[in-house]
Structures are given as structure tokens and as C-alpha cells.
């Protein structure tokens, strides 16, 4: 997004901010007037996975509307989370037995997010306490992954750490402290990188307004990540007509194998 487009969005949000500030005392209940309101948005609601997709930078931005129209300055913090669709994942632990690495213990997580990225205006430990961070799943150490069966707490922690580490190495989980910029206590921006190996599905961009360790407001926006073109055709074929897809895949493999064999024989 160019600097001119970002400036345009900032102007639009300042206008919305002023409107919300004046309308608040008239239309809002008395209790709601005491807390600020988030007006978030994202740079794009749909990300298309096409051939040659090398990743995408997603801009999360918005405004903070105060009931009295006055900014609270440096007293507020913003935390943004981009979360992918939950999926069932089996994590296996490898052990070296008689000099050979083999799969040993394993456990299944029923609701591990396919993607998780978090950014905050300051280090999370300076924004909220451990209890609040755990409630809102602020940070990789506070993800609630829900094992499919009852396991020992130490074992669950070991497998959770292993899954998070694996996802981090594949750029599917990451955490950016000081990754949110707040301008004059009114506007905020954060940039999160979507890697090329991301899964398709419905993603949720969540924004939290925090002050003195307490979450004052939270809003979310939906983002759809979907395959397009040949990649979508292959995915639909594999899902809707798996038997035919398998036959075609085997046929193509045989053709390429025979072609390679003939090529080497001629040489």
C-alpha cells in the first residue's frame, strides 16, 4: 500500500473518529460512554493463493474513538492477532533407538490454529499480567491447543512446545513485540507477513485495546484466504473426486517415468 493510500485511510478514520465522538453521548447508553471504542480494518479482506504466490503483507489499522473526544495519549496499548482456522494436528516425538531415529510417543491437538501471528505496541509482559495473557491467548506461550485425550501436564507442555517450535520454523507462528505503531493515541497500524505456505480458510484479525493491564475493547474482522486458478482446481479435484484424482496422478507418474526411462536409454 502506498503512502498516499495510507494517508487517505488515516484521514477517513479521523473523520469516523470525530463522528463517533460526537454521536457517542447522544446514542450510547451511559455505561458505554465510559469506555473507548475500536474502529478496526484490514488492507484486504481476501488473499488469493495463486501460482507463484510468495507471501503477502497484511496491514491492520484503525482508530480509537473516545467518548469525550479526548485521547488518553501514552496510557493505552494495542495488541493485534491474526489467527488461522483451527485444525486437528498429530504431533509425534522422535527418539533414537539402537542408532535409528524412530517415532515414539505422539499426541493429537484438536484445535490448533493453522496460523497465528501476534503484534503489540510494547512487550506483552509490560502490557498485561500472566492471567490476562492466558485468558486472551496473548503470545505463543499462552495458546490453548486442546489435546484430544487426557495426558500428563508435563507431557502436554512438551508436545505443545514442540508444535509451536515446528510452526515457528515454518513461519506459521510468530510474535512481534513493538510491532504496533500508535499515532497520537488515536490511530494504530500493524503489519503482519503471510507466508507462502499458509493454508486456505477463514482467518480472524483481532484487535485489543488495553490500558493499565485491562482489556477495554476488542473487535475482529474476517479475512478469507483461498486458492485460485490451477491450485484451486487441483484442491477441489482432490477433495471432491479423490478416486479419479488418484488415478490421474498415478497415470501421470507412469507416463513421466516411462518418458524418463526412454530418454536415458537413448543417451
Amino acid at each position: 500500500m502506498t503512502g498516499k493510500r495510507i494517508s487517505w485511510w488515516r484521514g477517513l478514520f479521523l473523520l469516523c473518529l470525530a463522528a463517533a465522538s460526537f454521536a457517542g453521548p447522544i446514542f450510547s447508553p451511559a455505561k458505554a460512554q465510559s469506555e473507548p471504542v475500536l474502529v478496526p480494518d484490514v488492507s484486504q479482506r481476501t488473499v488469493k493463493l495463486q501460482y507463484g504466490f510468495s507471501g503477502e503483507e497484511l496491514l491492520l489499522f484503525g482508530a480509537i474513538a473516545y467518548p469525550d473526544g479526548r485521547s488518553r495519549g501514552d496510557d493505552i496499548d494495542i495488541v493485534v492477532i491474526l489467527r488461522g482456522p483451527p485444525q486437528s494436528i498429530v504431533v509425534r516425538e522422535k527418539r533414537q533407538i539402537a542408532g535409528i531415529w524412530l517415532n515414539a510417543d505422539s499426541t493429537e491437538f484438536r484445535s490448533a490454529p493453522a496460523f497465528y501471528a501476534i503484534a503489540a505496541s510494547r512487550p506483552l509482559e509490560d502490557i498485561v499480567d500472566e492471567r490476562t495473557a492466558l485468558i486472551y491467548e496473548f503470545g505463543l506461550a499462552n495458546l490453548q491447543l486442546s489435546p484430544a485425550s487426557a495426558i500428563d501436564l508435563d507431557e502436554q507442555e512438551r508436545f505443545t512446545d514442540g508444535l509451536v517450535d515446528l510452526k515457528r520454523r515454518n513461519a506459521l507462528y510468530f510474535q512481534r513485540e513493538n510491532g504496533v505503531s500508535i499515532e497520537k493515541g488515536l490511530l494504530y497500524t500493524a503489519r503482519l507477513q503471510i507466508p507462502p505456505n499458509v493454508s486456505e480458510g477463514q482467518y480472524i484479525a483481532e484487535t485489543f485495546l488495553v490500558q493499565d493491564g485491562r482489556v477495554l475493547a476488542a473487535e475482529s474482522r474476517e479475512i478469507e484466504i483461498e486458492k485460485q486458478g490451477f491450485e484451486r482446481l487441483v484442491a477441489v479435484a482432490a477433495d471432491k473426486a479423490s478416486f479419479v484424482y488418484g488415478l490421474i496422478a498415478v497415470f501421470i507418474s507412469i507416463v513421466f517415468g516411462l518418458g524418463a526411462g526412454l530418454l536415458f536409454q537413448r543417451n
Side-chain angles (χ1 to χ4, degrees), residues 164-182:
V164 170
D165 181 64
L166 180 63
K167 291 283 191 177
R168 290 186 67 171
R169 284 188 277 129
N170 285 278
L172 293 173
Y173 283 9
F174 64 88
Q175 182 171 321
R176 289 186 58 197
E177 297 180 340
N178 302 313
V180 178
S181 299
I182 303 177

Side-chain angles (χ1 to χ4, degrees), residues 70-91:
R70 297 180 180 180
S71 167
R72 299 186 184 179
D74 298 332
D75 295 337
I76 55 98
D77 286 287
I78 292 289
V79 179
V80 297
I81 298 176
L82 180 60
R83 192 188 306 265
Q87 57 183 199
S88 178
I89 300 178
V90 177
V91 181

Side-chain angles (χ1 to χ4, degrees), residues 16-18 20-21 35-39 63-69 185-186 209:
C16 294
L17 179 63
S21 299
E35 301 294 355
V37 177
L38 281 170
V39 189
I64 307 167
Y66 298 91
D68 55 4
L186 296 174
L209 176 65

Side-chain angles (χ1 to χ4, degrees), residues 126-203:
D126 296 337
I127 297 177
V128 294
D129 56 26
E130 293 183 3
R131 179 176 177 273
T132 304
L134 187 62
I135 292 174
Y136 291 96
E137 293 187 281
F138 285 171
L140 297 176
N142 297 304
L143 287 176
Q144 308 298 313
L145 300 181
S146 303
S149 58
I151 59 175
D152 181 77
L153 290 178
D154 292 336
E155 185 178 1
Q156 178 180 342
E157 183 178 358
R158 189 174 76 251
F159 278 103
T160 299
D161 292 343
L163 175 59
V164 170
D165 181 64
L166 180 63
K167 291 283 191 177
R168 290 186 67 171
R169 284 188 277 129
N170 285 278
L172 293 173
Y173 283 9
F174 64 88
Q175 182 171 321
R176 289 186 58 197
E177 297 180 340
N178 302 313
V180 178
S181 299
I182 303 177
E183 185 175 336
K184 298 180 181 180
L186 296 174
L187 305 176
Y188 70 88
T189 56
R191 299 179 184 272
L192 299 178
Q193 188 67 31
I194 299 176
N197 57 332
V198 71
S199 301
E200 65 174 338
Q202 190 176 79
Y203 287 60

Side-chain angles (χ1 to χ4, degrees), residues 24-25 27-35 67:
F27 298 105
S28 300
K31 184 177 181 180
Q33 295 179 22
S34 63
E35 301 294 355

Side-chain angles (χ1 to χ4, degrees), residues 55-67:
E56 187 83 32
E57 185 180 71
L58 192 67
L59 176 65
L60 287 75
F61 60 97
I64 307 167
Y66 298 91

